[in-house]
Amino acid sequence: MIGVITVDVPATQSASNTKPDERVREESRLKKLLSKPELGSVSGAILVLLFFAVFAGDSGMFSADGILNWTTVSAQLGILAIGACLLMIAGEFDLSIGSMIGFAGMMIAIPATYWGWPVWVSIIFAMAGAMAIGALIGYTVVRTGLPSFIVSLAFLFILRGLTIALSILMTNKTIISGVSEIAENDWLAPFFGGELGTSFFQWLVTKGWLEAYADGTPVFTGIPMVVVWCLVLATVSSWVLMRTSFGNWIFATGGDDKAAKNVGVPTDKVKILLFVFTAFCAALYASCQVLEFGSAAADRGLLKEFEAIIAVVIGGALLTGGYGSVIGACFGALIFGVVQMGIFFTGINSDWFRVFLGVMLLMAVLFNNYIRKRVTEAR
């Protein structure tokens, strides 16, 4: 006969087994929401859109043509903001972005119009040259240990000076036109200066679902390629930042450079690659501008580096590095575009635009500092 042995478990022991593990901390949804870098820019974009919907709703700002205008402006800055965002998360700055736009534009226009190069060769030449300069800036930063603010500021003046001096030396001009005629049959030009979905929007006109001009041309002819490029860059960059080990390296590099290097993160490589990517974004912006307007100018991109930084900071990135979001930077660029075109549609003096940007930057920094303190205290 087999007996059954029973063991009485004390009530205190049974109760202890049901207690939650103190090592696991649960966060409320509100705290999780506050920890999102893009919270401020998303809420800010909603408020800005609501503001102009009330005060400029009947001005055509939210018609098909009006939406195209401020979306295009936002996408142009968004391309620059994406590159600047990743670099700022890594704890570095690139103030040469604006000058790089003018320099890359000239590297496209001069070979195409004066040297007889195909436009596609000129675009590749400009992008390769810009990325090489970006690598040089990054290499200088990591090898010398100088602040990237100073190094890139030096290249801001170097590139702007080279753009003006070389364009006058080679062409005796600072504005080079005639690119559109050369690019008409070029296979690569439509990827930068063309539009996506033209046949679809023409079909919408035939169905009566989209407005058209008297000659039957759609008011909204297609999605500009600069918008397409911005969406592609935002998607890929956000995935890399949030879903890959390289994205973790970016956060680690910006959070604590020395600690990241001690655990095996190739911080120097990360920084150089991000400087290269930022230069690529500037060259991409320049390519879209040159193909859209059919010309290049030595003063293109003036102050764009500061506008990109403003968009990134509004998007939730910290100036100290280690914290930020590509999506937030894109919404920061959206705020910029909506305000710039909204001021035009409402008839407000455009001189107030810079004032608004300064106020937005200050508010964003204060808000992000408050959120960072709340998140730090919660941890």
Side-chain angles (χ1 to χ4, degrees):
M1 181 176 179
I2 301 175
V4 178
I5 301 175
T6 59
V7 179
D8 293 332
V9 179
T12 54
Q13 182 178 345
S14 177
S16 63
N17 291 336
T18 61
K19 290 177 61 178
D21 193 339
E22 295 179 355
R23 296 170 297 177
V24 179
R25 178 174 56 87
E26 294 185 1
E27 289 186 343
S28 65
R29 291 185 178 181
L30 178 60
K31 287 185 178 180
K32 290 181 179 179
L33 183 63
L34 288 175
S35 65
K36 299 291 183 181
E38 60 270 16
L39 173 64
S41 60
V42 173
S43 57
I46 294 173
L47 289 175
V48 166
L49 287 170
L50 289 175
F51 174 84
F52 286 108
V54 173
F55 291 97
D58 56 351
S59 64
M61 180 177 175
F62 292 94
S63 64
D65 195 29
I67 293 174
L68 175 64
N69 286 333
W70 51 263
T71 301
T72 302
V73 173
S74 302
Q76 290 172 346
L77 181 60
I79 290 175
L80 301 178
I82 290 169
C85 177
L86 295 181
L87 189 60
M88 286 178 62
I89 293 174
E92 303 293 346
F93 292 90
D94 189 354
L95 297 182
S96 68
I97 296 175
S99 298
M100 185 71 77
I101 292 171
F103 187 74
M106 283 298 182
M107 283 198 291
I108 296 172
I110 292 177
T113 57
Y114 283 86
W115 302 349
W117 289 17
V119 173
W120 68 270
V121 175
S122 300
I123 292 174
I124 295 176
F125 170 70
M127 288 192 172
M131 292 167 70
I133 295 173
L136 176 61
I137 297 173
Y139 182 78
T140 304
V141 170
V142 300
R143 290 295 294 175
T144 62
L146 293 172
S148 57
F149 180 90
I150 300 299
V151 176
S152 60
L153 181 63
F155 274 90
L156 179 151
F157 291 107
I158 292 171
L159 290 175
R160 187 67 71 185
L162 284 175
T163 304
I164 297 173
L166 293 178
S167 61
I168 293 176
L169 178 65
M170 296 179 181
T171 67
N172 202 29
K173 298 178 181 178
T174 57
I175 299 178
I176 311 298
S177 57
V179 180
S180 297
E181 294 78 6
I182 302 172
E184 285 182 356
N185 298 319
D186 191 270
W187 67 272
L188 189 59
F191 288 93
F192 299 93
E195 294 179 331
L196 186 67
T198 52
S199 58
F200 172 72
F201 290 103
Q202 186 64 55
W203 176 77
L204 291 178
V205 170
T206 60
K207 294 294 184 180
W209 297 339
L210 184 65
E211 297 179 1
Y213 295 109
D215 59 354
T217 303
V219 174
F220 196 94
T221 56
I223 302 174
M225 289 306 299
V226 66
V227 177
V228 177
W229 275 110
C230 182
L231 293 174
V232 171
L233 279 182
T235 302
V236 175
S237 299
S238 183
W239 177 79
V240 170
L241 183 65
M242 305 305 297
R243 301 294 181 181
T244 67
S245 57
F246 187 78
N248 291 332
W249 290 353
I250 294 174
F251 281 113
T253 301
D256 192 328
D257 189 357
K258 293 182 180 179
K261 186 177 293 186
N262 290 336
V263 296
V265 176
T267 56
D268 292 349
K269 179 181 178 181
V270 169
K271 292 181 180 181
I272 292 174
L273 288 176
L274 291 179
F275 274 105
V276 171
F277 179 67
T278 304
F280 167 78
C281 291
L284 175 61
Y285 178 98
S287 301
C288 293
Q289 269 205 333
V290 170
L291 271 299
E292 179 183 357
F293 299 114
S295 64
D299 62 346
R300 290 266 175 88
L302 190 64
L303 298 180
K304 286 297 179 183
E305 58 276 350
F306 297 108
E307 292 177 1
I309 292 174
I310 290 174
V312 174
V313 174
I314 292 174
L318 295 179
L319 297 175
T320 53
Y323 186 80
S325 164
V326 171
I327 302 301
C330 291
F331 273 98
L334 177 63
I335 293 174
F336 180 97
V338 171
V339 172
Q340 184 175 3
M341 299 307 300
I343 288 176
F344 169 77
F345 278 104
T346 53
I348 301 174
N349 192 325
S350 60
D351 295 337
W352 290 98
F353 174 62
R354 299 291 176 187
V355 177
F356 180 84
L357 280 185
V359 173
M360 283 294 298
L361 175 61
L362 181 60
M363 290 177 60
V365 172
L366 293 174
F367 180 76
N368 292 345
N369 189 51
Y370 169 75
I371 295 301
R372 182 172 60 86
K373 287 182 178 179
R374 287 290 302 269
V375 174
T376 304
E377 291 173 0
R379 292 173 179 172

